[in-house]
Amino acid sequence: MASYQGPSPTEPPCFDFLGAFKFLFTQGNVLNNILLGAVMNLIPIVGPIMLMGWQCEILQRLLKRHSNPIPKLTLDDFGYWLGRGLAPFVIVLIVTVPVVFVVVFVMFLLTFGMAVFAGAFAQQGGEPNPLLPLIGVGASFLTYLAFMIVFGMLVTSVLIRAELTEDIGQALEFRKIWAYVRSTWKDVLISQLVFIPFAFAAALGGMLMLFFGIYAAIIVIMVASLHIRWQIYERYLSRGGEPIPIQTKSGPLPSEQKVAVAST
């Protein structure tokens, strides 16, 4: 496996969103990876953990300039991916669950506040204002959008630390998490504003391919999102950002070892 060669000497001028969505299709075993990945998404908890382990390897191979950055998904590596995906899965849960509760609570307060305001207005004999519902919906949407943007910045920072370190303690070093957020928030904001319409189009295309198509589209979106995280990290490093430690536990995959033994 190739060693890490460092970031580009200069910051990339812009994001390659099209390249992110094409990335999965430029590697081998495309159909196999999409189909088996889609099946894994149908398996509660275990499937997503396995896919997170697979994503850890992809991101690390991108940084190491590996000649085959997307390894083939096979059941031979199922337990291996589970072991590597467990820490990132737990880390994401630790971060996302409290944030989801906060978002739901704030949305509830907004809805409740608008209802109280409308009731008090009606009791005073005021005429119903048809704009009130629209104002309420607009305020709720803008609040939700602001939360999701901040949430996206936080998750991007936490997730890339989880995928590279595969260690709960190192991934949850909040001082370094916020340092990464401060350094990359503009990149994350731009990437979100452009990536979301691309992802929506891909998901819509998957839905048009009957029910199972959406699960295949999720794999494409998932890998494209990982590629964007890698681009953000490369830009961060090129600006002199502190590198995130890459775990050194992994070696050749069990399936790759089996092929190597069979070929000798």
Side-chain angles (χ1 to χ4, degrees), residues 22-34 54 67-73:
K22 291 167 60 178
F23 174 52
L24 181 62
F25 299 94
T26 61
Q27 308 300 309
N29 307 300
V30 179
L31 186 59
N32 170 87
N33 290 343
I34 290 177
W54 184 55
S67 58
N68 178 33
I70 302 183
K72 181 180 180 180
L73 270 177

Side-chain angles (χ1 to χ4, degrees), residues 14-26 191 194-195 198-199 201-202 220 223-225 227-228 231:
C14 60
F15 287 103
D16 184 7
F17 293 101
L18 186 59
F21 278 90
K22 291 167 60 178
F23 174 52
L24 181 62
F25 299 94
T26 61
S191 66
V194 179
F195 182 80
F198 273 92
V220 176
V223 174
S225 178
H227 196 276
I228 292 295
Q231 293 185 50

